[in-house]
Structures are given as structure tokens and as C-alpha cells.
Amino acid sequence: MQGKHWISALALTVGLVAGSGAFAQTTVRIAWYSDGNEGEVVSDLLKRFEAQNKDIKVVLDQVPYKAITENLPVQLASGQGPDIARVVDLGGVARYALDMRPYLKDASYWEKNFGPFLPWMRPEGDSSAITGFMTQLTVTGPFVNKTLFEQAGVALPGAKATWEDWGKAAKEVATKVKAPFPVAMDRSGHRFFSVAVSEGAKVFDDKGEPAVIDEGFRRGAKLIYDWHQNGTMAKELWGSVSGTAYRGANDEFKNAQVVMYQSGSWQIAQFDKTVGDAFDWVAVPSPCGAGGCSPMPGGAGLVAIKTTKSPEAVAKVMDYLASEPVLSEFYARSLFVPGHLGIAAKGLDYAGATPQGKAALKVFSDQVAQISPAAYKLQGYVNNRVIFNAVISRLGQAISGEGTLDEAFKRIESDVAQQIAERKK
């Protein structure tokens, strides 16, 4: 993300369009990362926009996920960066977001269809800004290699099965078929909380302040720690990186090395394309714990950046992408759970999905009803990235043998308090 692409947030260029003569053309830059094919889809949609709006040139800078999570915040903090960015740390980026309300064609359309998600993208203390929309609503949950279960002669646990049930079954399957990874989970604080919240973690106290370490959190952390000690989870996945670094296991899953992979709905398009008919894979309901069966909500938002020199052009691009016909096509072609209430109510025909992909989309869509208030609150919390990073860093240290779980709990509390205090300075 560093270098010539980011020297200017927006450039004004002069060009020629056949038959129209010379004119000033506004260039809007979008920083975009992809999990699956959504970069190809949005690029196609933006070409149509440019054909209808000759005065606006949209440059789609497709960058790695790591550039969005690590490089983009540095750029934004220095007053640089793109005009629009696709981000997952919605709360962290919110302070740099542009309130598009004065420039939008119809703010009420945004409020009606994106209402529950708008607070996720607002600066702290702001109750009215419209800064972006969800390019996808994601739901965490497991993908299972059904073929490996069949080869091992082990039955899939039922809909209300616990995390312990799934761990036991996955390990039995892996032992019988010699799969290297019984259970894999993204090395991500967000993914970890899909376990912790189900185990009863509340995350916040009665005043709404972070109180991360409670009994539910301890149960979730001990489960993941124990799984790494007894071989249900492999240390080489979480141990291959350190600190707050992300590590997924999608490559291991699509190569049939993983029995159960705790990730989320954003992987559907990728698995639909890359796994093909190599093996049968299914999405299953979020496992249960002492606190319920809640997945974590999330997703990627497309957010306007306030340093842009041309907010009118930015809002015009965003209005187009957020419009129901365009966004419906985007969700359907990308195989995403809609983050638009009107589209979700009508339903989508995922014509490009295989039967496995369509079935997985239904499972994840159905899981939205199981999301607990604590999970929504954590996802919408402006400093949630502080919590996620502290948890993954300190829990990772304990798993790697660099300290005990109790020491990790103390460090998590200390890290969260210190980093939030620093952000408030």
C-alpha cells in the first residue's frame, strides 16, 4: 500500500473521451482486498459506473488483506490513503471516515437498509453519520470435510452439539484417516470469540466498559489451550506466527488436511471454486457452550475516507455500489450473506453456486438468528481490535509455552486497559 499508489488520496486528471472533447475527470481510488472472487465482481460493476459517469474515473487498488489491517491504519493516521477502503476493523477506521450524509442522493434509503450496521462504522460518540455499508455480513462457523467423516465411519455431531463434541469427533476422524489437523481455527481474536461468547463470555461490565476476563472467557480459552496440548489443534498453525499476526487454514482445508475448520461464511466462494468435487464439504451450525450457540457477526465494510478532496464524487460511487440492483448482483455473484435488510428479506438466487455452496449459504444465513447480544456489542465496539489483538497475542504465547494461561489472562487485561487509555489521549 505504500508508494506511488498512495501519494495522493485523489488526483484530478484531464483526458479525452471519444466525441466529448477535453474535460476535468475526477479520480476516486478504492483500496480493496478479496477473500474470493469479489474483487473481480466489483471491478466489473465499476466499469458500468464509469460508462454512465464519464466525469469520474475509479481506480481499484487490489491489495492483500494484511495491507488493509496493518498498512492502511498507518496511512490514514498520517492523513494519507485512498478515498474509499474496504476494511474489517470498522471501529478502528471509523475516526478517519467521512460522513456522506450531506452528499448522498437519499440518506433515508441507507438508514432503512443498512440501519443495524451503520453504528459499526461511526466515530465514537457519533449517532448519525453515514460512512459506509457492509459489502458482506459474515457469520463465523465451522466447515467440515464430510468425506473424511464418511471414510472414518464417524457420524457428524448434531445441530446442538457442543465444542467438546466436535473436538472429540474430529480427533477420532483424524486418527482413523491420518489427517494432520483434526480442528483448525483462524488465528484471529474475532474467531476465538465465537468460542468464548458461546461459553458465556460477556466481554463488558454493566457500565459498558471492557471486562474481558470472566468465567465464560476462561472456559473458551482453556478449551483452545487444551486442544493445542492434546493434539486436537496443531501448534504449527497458531505457532507459525506470533504477536497479533493473522493465520488462516483455508489452504490446509481445501487440501483435505483438516477435518473441521472454524472460520466463516466469507470462505464459501473460495471453497466452492477451489475444492470443486475433490471432496464433500459442508457448513454446520455454530457449536454450543455454556452460554449458547452464538457465532460472531462481522464482515467487511466499504468506508468513505474523510481526507478525500472530492466527497461528492465519492458519495456518487458509494450510492451506485449500495443501490439495491447493483448490490444484489454483487452479493449473488460473490456468494455473500447480504448486509442489506431489503435484499435479505427478499432472498437471493445464488445462481453461480454449486449445491454445496448454496447449502452452506443457507446454514450461515440461518445462524444470524443465533447471534447473542454480547457478540453484536463486541463487533460494534470501537476498540474491539484492541481486545482481539491482546487476546490472540497473549493466548498464542500460552499455547506456545511462553507462559501460563493465568499469566495470559493478566496480560490481556493489562494490554486492553493500556491501549485503550493510549487511544483516548
Side-chain angles (χ1 to χ4, degrees):
M1 286 181 69
Q2 309 224 356
K4 61 182 180 181
H5 287 309
W6 303 101
I7 290 174
S8 173
L10 183 148
L12 290 177
T13 62
V14 177
L16 289 173
V17 173
S20 65
F23 67 96
Q25 190 179 46
T26 301
T27 299
V28 174
R29 303 200 78 98
I30 302 177
W32 185 278
Y33 83 93
S34 294
D35 288 310
N37 70 330
E38 65 265 35
E40 301 167 25
V41 176
V42 77
S43 180
D44 185 26
L45 296 172
L46 287 170
K47 286 175 185 175
R48 294 183 212 165
F49 172 84
E50 289 179 320
Q52 299 165 16
N53 299 272
K54 301 292 189 183
D55 59 329
I56 299 176
K57 172 69 177 174
V58 183
V59 177
L60 189 72
D61 289 313
Q62 300 208 47
V63 299
Y65 177 74
K66 186 176 180 180
I68 293 292
T69 57
E70 297 182 13
N71 297 3
L72 180 63
V74 176
Q75 294 284 336
L76 296 178
S78 67
Q80 301 177 30
D83 302 289
I84 301 170
R86 185 177 189 231
V87 300
V88 292
D89 182 11
L90 302 173
V93 172
R95 72 188 73 181
Y96 308 113
L98 169 72
D99 181 5
M100 298 184 293
R101 184 180 285 274
Y103 312 104
L104 295 171
K105 185 167 56 178
D106 180 9
S108 65
Y109 166 83
W110 287 69
E111 291 169 336
K112 178 181 177 182
N113 292 291
F114 303 113
F117 316 114
L118 294 177
W120 293 0
M121 294 173 268
R122 284 174 178 151
E124 192 169 12
D126 192 313
S127 60
S128 66
I130 299 175
T131 63
F133 68 93
M134 300 303 289
T135 58
Q136 69 198 112
L137 178 64
T138 61
V139 182
T140 59
F143 292 95
V144 174
N145 187 321
K146 188 178 178 184
T147 297
L148 293 183
F149 268 87
E150 291 169 348
Q151 290 174 348
V154 177
L156 288 171
K160 294 293 184 181
T162 65
W163 286 101
E164 288 85 352
D165 294 334
W166 273 104
K168 182 179 178 182
K171 192 175 182 186
E172 182 181 355
V173 170
T175 300
K176 289 185 175 180
V177 301
K178 295 181 169 52
F181 307 109
V183 175
M185 177 184 293
D186 295 331
R187 191 180 190 274
S188 153
H190 179 267
R191 241 68 83 231
F192 165 76
F193 271 100
S194 62
V195 178
V197 170
S198 289
E199 290 295 344
K202 301 298 183 187
V203 193
F204 302 95
D205 62 23
D206 294 340
K207 297 179 181 178
E209 295 298 319
V212 179
I213 309 301
D214 59 14
E215 287 308 307
F217 182 93
R218 289 174 182 271
R219 278 192 295 269
K222 189 171 190 311
L223 176 69
I224 299 304
Y225 177 85
D226 288 346
W227 274 0
H228 277 92
Q229 306 311 307
N230 65 27
T232 302
M233 292 179 74
K235 289 184 180 180
E236 65 187 85
L237 291 181
W238 276 37
S240 62
V241 291
S242 60
T244 61
Y246 172 85
R247 169 71 156 88
N250 42 303
D251 285 339
E252 288 80 6
F253 182 79
K254 69 187 182 187
N255 289 323
Q257 297 176 300
V258 180
V259 178
M260 170 183 162
Y261 176 30
Q262 172 66 6
S263 192
S265 56
W266 59 92
Q267 302 282 17
I268 294 174
Q270 178 187 170
F271 292 157
D272 215 30
K273 182 177 181 180
T274 58
V275 175
D277 58 2
F279 59 85
D280 287 333
W281 58 274
V282 295
V284 299
S286 189
C288 302
C293 316
S294 176
M296 273 294 292
L302 196 62
V303 177
I305 305 301
K306 65 183 178 183
T307 51
T308 180
K309 300 295 190 295
S310 191
E312 295 89 349
V314 165
K316 197 168 186 178
V317 172
M318 294 287 274
D319 260 334
Y320 167 80
L321 290 175
S323 65
E324 188 165 322
V326 173
L327 196 52
S328 291
E329 182 178 344
F330 175 79
Y331 289 144
R333 290 174 60 186
S334 300
L335 308 188
F336 284 160
V337 175
H340 178 291
L341 299 184
I343 296 171
K346 292 176 183 176
L348 282 173
D349 177 17
Y350 296 98
T354 65
Q356 289 184 131
K358 288 182 178 180
L361 282 159
K362 183 177 186 335
V363 170
F364 281 111
S365 296
D366 290 348
Q367 286 296 289
V368 173
Q370 302 297 321
I371 300 173
S372 76
Y376 272 121
K377 189 171 184 179
L378 175 57
Q379 180 58 23
Y381 179 51
V382 68
N383 291 316
N384 64 13
R385 186 64 49 176
V386 169
I387 295 174
F388 292 154
N389 285 348
V391 168
I392 211 65
S393 174
R394 299 308 188 181
L395 185 55
Q397 288 177 339
I399 287 169
S400 300
E402 299 174 30
T404 66
L405 262 184
D406 284 337
E407 289 170 341
F409 295 154
K410 291 176 183 176
R411 288 169 177 165
I412 289 168
E413 288 182 319
S414 174
D415 288 350
V416 169
Q418 179 182 340
Q419 290 173 34
I420 290 177
E422 289 174 356
R423 281 191 170 198
K424 290 180 177 180
K425 288 181 180 178

